[in-house]
């Protein structure tokens, strides 16, 4: 009997109102402590607390409860991130004066112009990119989603960026967040191999921030059986772990530590000083209007 057929015969037990209410309270508590985050991350937090079992049916239950909780107003919509939906539109203004005022309000001088290195963060998953974006945005670090094995075009574009940085006298540090499973590990290996082929003379280093074998043990992350049908599972030992299993707060801490270790504090103060002066100039122009 196939696993799919067996799964289809699993009887779904309807939860009582009291059980659903208890689960809702757990979900709200989890999100109150750590947000924004993905649906799957909420599921793993609930698994860790014993609120649900580690099954796909229970994941679907968490997803349904989150829909209900947001509709009721118990969970703000902004607490759940969904990086799979992309909306694009042109940047437009009502007038030149409005453009100047907005520029003055949101102006930020590029931090890395005055730093000796460049930093790039890659996320295997869309949802995880939404979790760590508050950190990468704060430090003006490029964040890209690879979705498993990357295209040749993506790797080539990245290689050109690394080569350009090298020509400007800068080393680049490329950090990655991905699942600890045969495909996730092999995709990261393949990406690095291609990067070295396209940019053989560039100065750069690659490192995986998560998930690492050490994190699985240190954080007590929930695992799942490794798919031995995966052709890449040969040589892969142990169970698999999704990057979503790492608590959002911890994931953001890991990313922030990786970025800030490369920031020269004296140069950062210089950047902030110049930014302040330039913003004052823009605000003065905005107040005076265009002549």
């Amino acid at each position: 009997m196939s696993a799919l057929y067996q799964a289809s015969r699993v009887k779904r037990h309807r939860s009582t109102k009291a059980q659903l209410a208890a689960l809702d309270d757990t979900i709200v508590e989890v999100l109150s402590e750590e947000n924004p985050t993905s649906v799957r991350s909420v599921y793993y937090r609930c698994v860790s607390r014993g609120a649900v079992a580690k099954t796909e049916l229970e994941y679907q239950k968490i997803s349904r409860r989150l829909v209900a909780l947001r509709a009721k107003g118990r969970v703000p919509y902004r607490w759940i991130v969904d990086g799979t939906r992309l909306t694009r539109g042109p940047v437009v203004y009502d007038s030149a004066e409005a453009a100047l005022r907005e520029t003055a309000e949101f102006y930020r001088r590029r931090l890395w112009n005055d730093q000796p290195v460049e930093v790039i963060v890659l996320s295997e998953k869309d949802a995880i990119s939404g979790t760590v974006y508050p950190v990468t945005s704060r430090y003006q670090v490029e964040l890209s989603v690879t979705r498993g094995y990357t295209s040749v075009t993506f790797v080539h574009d990245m290689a050109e960026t690394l080569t350009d940085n090298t020509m400007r006298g800068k080393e680049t540090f490329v950090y990655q967040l991905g699942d600890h499973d045969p495909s996730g590990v092999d995709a990261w290996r393949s990406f690095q191999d291609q990067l070295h082929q396209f940019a053989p003379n560039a100065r750069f280093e690659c490192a995986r921030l998560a998930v690492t074998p050490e994190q699985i043990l240190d954080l007590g992350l929930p695992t799942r059986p490794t798919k031995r049908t995966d052709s890449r599972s040969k040589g892969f030992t142990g169970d698999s772990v999704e990057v979503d299993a790492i608590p959002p707060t911890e994931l953001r801490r890991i990313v922030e530590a990786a970025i800030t270790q490369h920031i020269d504090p004296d140069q950062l103060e210089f950047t902030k000083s110049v930014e302040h002066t330039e913003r004052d100039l823009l605000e003065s122009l905005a107040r005076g209007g265009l002549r």
Side-chain angles (χ1 to χ4, degrees):
M1 185 181 296
S2 69
L4 180 61
Y5 179 67
Q6 289 178 341
S8 68
R9 297 186 63 190
V10 174
K11 183 178 180 180
R12 180 181 296 177
H13 296 283
R14 186 177 297 276
S15 301
T16 65
K17 289 184 178 180
Q19 290 172 329
L20 289 178
L23 178 57
D24 287 351
D25 289 343
T26 299
I27 292 173
V28 172
E29 182 179 344
V30 164
L31 280 167
S32 297
E33 295 174 356
E34 299 181 312
N35 67 80
T37 189
S38 65
V39 174
R40 187 162 290 274
S41 180
V42 174
Y43 158 70
Y44 277 119
R45 303 283 74 70
C46 290
V47 168
S48 298
R49 296 183 181 215
V52 294
K54 194 166 60 176
T55 68
E56 186 61 25
L57 287 177
E58 295 291 77
Y59 168 74
Q60 294 170 7
K61 180 190 291 183
I62 293 294
S63 181
R64 291 193 300 272
R65 297 317 302 164
L66 278 169
V67 171
L69 288 168
R70 283 177 286 178
K72 295 176 181 177
R74 291 193 65 189
V75 171
Y77 280 91
R78 67 179 182 276
W79 282 6
I80 300 296
V81 294
D82 181 3
T84 64
R85 306 296 189 263
L86 177 63
T87 301
R88 290 181 177 178
V91 178
V92 295
Y93 301 94
D94 293 331
S95 65
E97 287 84 354
L100 188 56
R101 287 195 300 272
E102 184 165 315
T103 299
E105 181 179 357
F106 296 105
Y107 173 71
R108 297 172 69 189
R109 182 178 176 85
R110 191 172 187 278
L111 180 157
W112 299 97
N113 281 350
D114 304 314
Q115 296 295 324
V117 303
E118 293 281 340
V119 177
I120 296 172
V121 175
L122 305 179
S123 172
E124 180 184 340
K125 294 181 172 180
D126 298 278
I128 293 303
S129 68
T131 298
V132 302
Y133 178 72
V135 175
T136 57
S137 175
R138 185 188 316 142
Y139 293 103
Q140 304 175 22
V141 168
E142 178 182 319
L143 173 63
S144 297
V145 180
T146 59
R147 299 185 183 91
Y149 287 88
T150 56
S151 67
V152 172
T153 301
F154 179 87
V155 181
H156 187 268
D157 288 347
M158 179 70 69
E160 287 190 332
T161 297
L162 302 183
T163 300
D164 290 343
N165 289 344
T166 300
M167 292 179 66
R168 293 190 296 120
K170 290 193 173 190
E171 183 176 10
T172 307
F173 293 85
V174 182
Y175 293 112
Q176 192 252 9
L177 305 165
D179 292 345
H180 179 74
D181 60 21
S183 292
V185 171
D186 188 64
W188 177 231
R189 175 205 58 77
S190 175
F191 174 81
Q192 293 178 82
D193 289 347
Q194 293 181 76
L195 209 53
H196 282 285
Q197 291 174 11
F198 283 127
N201 299 316
R203 294 174 54 224
F204 67 94
E205 290 186 19
C206 295
R208 166 168 273 213
L209 294 182
V211 177
T212 66
E214 294 76 19
Q215 290 167 345
I216 297 173
L217 295 176
D218 294 344
L219 300 176
L221 302 178
T223 63
R224 56 179 171 79
T226 296
K227 296 179 181 178
R228 294 304 165 185
T229 54
D230 189 333
S231 60
R232 304 172 188 87
S233 63
K234 185 178 181 181
F236 185 90
T237 58
D239 289 336
S240 297
V241 176
E242 292 187 87
V243 66
D244 312 69
I246 297 179
T249 301
E250 177 64 16
L251 200 57
R252 285 189 282 267
R253 186 200 66 76
I254 291 171
V255 173
E256 183 169 20
I259 295 171
T260 55
Q261 68 177 319
H262 300 295
I263 296 178
D264 183 308
D266 293 332
Q267 288 300 116
L268 179 60
E269 286 304 312
F270 169 77
T271 301
K272 289 181 177 179
S273 175
V274 175
E275 178 185 282
H276 180 75
T277 300
E278 292 173 337
R279 183 181 292 110
D280 284 346
L281 174 61
L282 289 170
E283 290 175 347
S284 177
L285 291 172
R287 287 193 298 270
L290 296 179
R291 304 300 181 190

